Amino acid sequence: MPPLTADSLWADVLAVRQQQPLVHNITNFVVMNYSANALLALGAAPVMAHAREEVRDMAGIAHALVLNIGTLSPEWIEAMVMALQTARARGLPVVLDPVGAGATPYRNQAIAQLLAAGSPTVLRGNASEVLSVAGVQSATRGVDSAIASDDALHAAQALASHLGAVVCVSGATDHILAPDGRHARLSNGHVWMTRVTGVGCSASALTGAFCAVQADAFRATTAAMAYLGVVGEVAAEQVRAQGRGVGQMQIALLDGLQLLDAQTFKARLRLHHDE
């Protein structure tokens, strides 16, 4: 695989804007609107469909599938399984966001049911969630992580090998690990991103869009997280300079997803990777 560079990652940003992939999201009530707007701002086309009666058809016309277990019900789990099986049969990329993994037995059972139906292309979560999915007990409070992303590296690499999937551990440093041993580290972003509901879930939605246009899921995931990280960093600086807070931050994030330019992205990107 060619090495990751700012130029190659920016090429994937342009590909999303040009190809406008349709991303099928079965996501949670809390973030549905924000994730859809994030995809639109990026240049992708979102569809939020969770009815069992149509998820197979929707997964049949989409370019990627994103599953987010933030708000669960038996019907939604069944719909996710149906969509996952359809997407895998079509060879579509699937992104799984195991929101709150480890918080309750029901949530863990849902994750196990989804993984039994088929491995995702990408699994993205915080350190606590990734540790829980990997079978390592961790402290989870809903979507919050009490553990640094660096502390989940060994578990994430083992999980990537076990699933044959890219695993992304989000945190102050984002770690993207591929089954073949590749490892990218990103250190962009801002703490205010953690104070806006839906930013993490939007990262998974954006990853689906990038996976739809870039066949290398490792590169696609790195591009998605890099783009969002730089956008968040710039947005926080702009909002703070205006004397505003996190309410304005969520708007600035959407503006940045639409308007970030190549020069700013390449100048600010903090990427380290092992091939």
Side-chain angles (χ1 to χ4, degrees):
M1 295 289 183
L4 298 177
T5 65
D7 286 332
S8 66
L9 299 184
W10 184 255
D12 293 336
V13 175
L14 296 180
V16 174
R17 292 176 176 177
Q18 292 163 0
Q19 297 180 35
Q20 301 179 342
L22 178 64
V23 183
H24 178 196
N25 298 263
I26 304 180
T27 190
N28 71 75
F29 288 122
V30 179
V31 307
M32 200 174 293
N33 176 269
Y34 198 79
S35 291
N37 281 330
L39 284 166
L40 286 168
L42 176 67
V47 60
M48 312 332 241
H50 55 266
R52 289 172 294 176
E53 292 78 4
E54 70 168 352
V55 290
R56 289 192 189 278
D57 292 330
M58 199 63 75
I61 62 174
H63 300 110
L65 172 67
V66 178
L67 304 176
N68 177 308
I69 69 163
T71 50
L72 286 173
S73 70
E75 294 78 12
W76 276 38
I77 297 171
E78 183 180 347
M80 288 181 182
V81 169
M82 294 168 65
L84 173 60
Q85 292 172 335
T86 302
R88 299 309 284 165
R90 289 192 59 218
L92 292 183
V94 178
V95 179
L96 173 60
D97 190 334
V99 177
T104 66
Y106 181 62
R107 198 161 291 268
N108 295 341
Q109 291 167 10
I111 295 167
Q113 189 173 345
L114 288 169
L115 294 178
S119 291
T121 310
V122 179
L123 185 144
R124 194 215 66 82
N126 64 38
S128 293
E129 292 162 348
V130 169
L131 284 167
S132 177
V133 176
V136 179
Q137 188 172 4
S138 62
T140 303
R141 302 180 305 162
V143 300
D144 297 330
S145 177
I147 301 171
S149 58
D150 293 353
D151 296 330
L153 279 180
H154 292 301
Q157 186 59 70
L159 186 61
S161 299
H162 174 69
L163 295 176
V166 172
V167 174
C168 175
V169 189
S170 299
T173 299
D174 296 323
H175 294 276
I176 300 94
L177 302 113
D180 60 10
R182 288 178 292 166
H183 177 196
R185 299 177 297 281
L186 296 162
S187 53
N188 291 104
H190 193 276
V191 68
W192 278 14
M193 297 171 74
T194 66
R195 300 183 186 179
V196 177
T197 297
V199 171
C201 296
S202 295
S204 296
L206 298 176
T207 299
F210 278 87
C211 284
V213 303
Q214 171 52 248
D216 180 5
F218 172 74
R219 171 172 153 176
T221 304
T222 305
M225 299 304 295
Y227 190 73
L228 180 60
V230 173
V231 165
E233 192 173 281
V234 173
E237 291 176 6
Q238 292 173 342
V239 170
R240 286 167 63 91
Q242 298 167 3
R244 307 293 292 277
V246 294
Q248 188 66 31
M249 177 73 175
Q250 61 182 328
I251 298 172
L253 279 166
L254 293 177
D255 288 344
L257 286 170
Q258 179 189 10
L259 300 174
L260 185 71
D261 58 71
Q263 181 179 359
T264 304
F265 176 78
K266 295 176 185 180
R268 286 181 171 264
L269 179 64
R270 294 192 293 275
L271 165 68
H272 304 279
H273 59 95
D274 305 318
E275 295 295 338

